[in-house]
Amino acid sequence: ISRIDLTPFGFPDLFEQVWLRQQLDDIFELCCIPFRAYGLALRDKVRTSHDGTQVIEVVERSGRRVLRVLLAPGQQPVPAAEGKDRILAAVEDAGLLSEWSGDRHIAIDVPPGADVTKIQSVASELAETSGAFWEWADVEQFR
């Protein structure tokens, strides 16, 4: 377990905890789908600080991407619970891995060649009708 400083991504004094698998002395494979850090994806190889407590650099990209959706709380016409069900169904239909943070924030692992058209369509519709927000985690580089 290590952490990522979220200050460069607009979250001062906050950190994201990530799970890692050691590859070499200070090189690790990311074993979870990041929620808030940009420029990282499942199975990326990263370097940690000397004491291993903080991810400091991406060494090798896995080729995967992360699609994140944040559902607006209780807004109409689509309540967050219904939005969650619709996103979850689209993720399951695509056969993709995902992780939830609470009941409104999902991070979806997108391997090369995966079709996320339906997920993007549902997320876009929820953004227009209910104030949901979605983005690709690689719109910014890791720093």
Side-chain angles (χ1 to χ4, degrees), residues 38 68-72 104-105 123 126-127 130-135:
Y38 287 90
R68 302 188 279 225
V69 180
L70 178 63
L71 301 170
R104 298 186 307 113
H105 194 193
L126 291 171
S130 302
F133 176 79
W134 71 274
E135 69 178 353

Side-chain angles (χ1 to χ4, degrees), residues 2 6 8 12-13 15-16 19 26-27 29 34 46 54 69 73 78 99-100 107 109-110 126 131-133 136:
S2 191
L6 297 176
D13 302 321
F15 295 86
E16 180 170 2
W19 290 82
D26 62 346
I27 306 295
E29 179 181 63
V46 298
Q54 191 163 325
V69 180
V78 180
E99 295 184 26
W100 285 89
D109 172 51
V110 182
L126 291 171
F133 176 79
W136 288 102

Side-chain angles (χ1 to χ4, degrees), residues 11-82:
F11 301 102
D13 302 321
L14 293 178
F15 295 86
E16 180 170 2
Q17 179 177 290
V18 292
W19 290 82
L20 305 172
R21 180 178 320 146
Q22 190 164 15
Q23 304 290 300
L24 299 171
D25 287 340
D26 62 346
I27 306 295
F28 294 81
E29 179 181 63
L30 194 60
C31 296
C32 62
I33 306 169
F35 277 92
R36 290 164 187 86
Y38 287 90
L40 290 173
L42 182 66
R43 297 190 181 157
D44 282 354
K45 303 284 191 303
V46 298
R47 184 180 316 279
T48 62
S49 57
H50 180 69
D51 61 3
T53 61
Q54 191 163 325
V55 174
I56 58 172
E57 175 185 14
V58 177
V59 175
E60 181 182 325
R61 302 211 179 277
S62 63
R64 301 169 100 83
R65 299 179 76 191
V66 177
L67 180 65
R68 302 188 279 225
V69 180
L70 178 63
L71 301 170
Q75 293 195 11
Q76 297 298 327
V78 180
E82 182 183 329

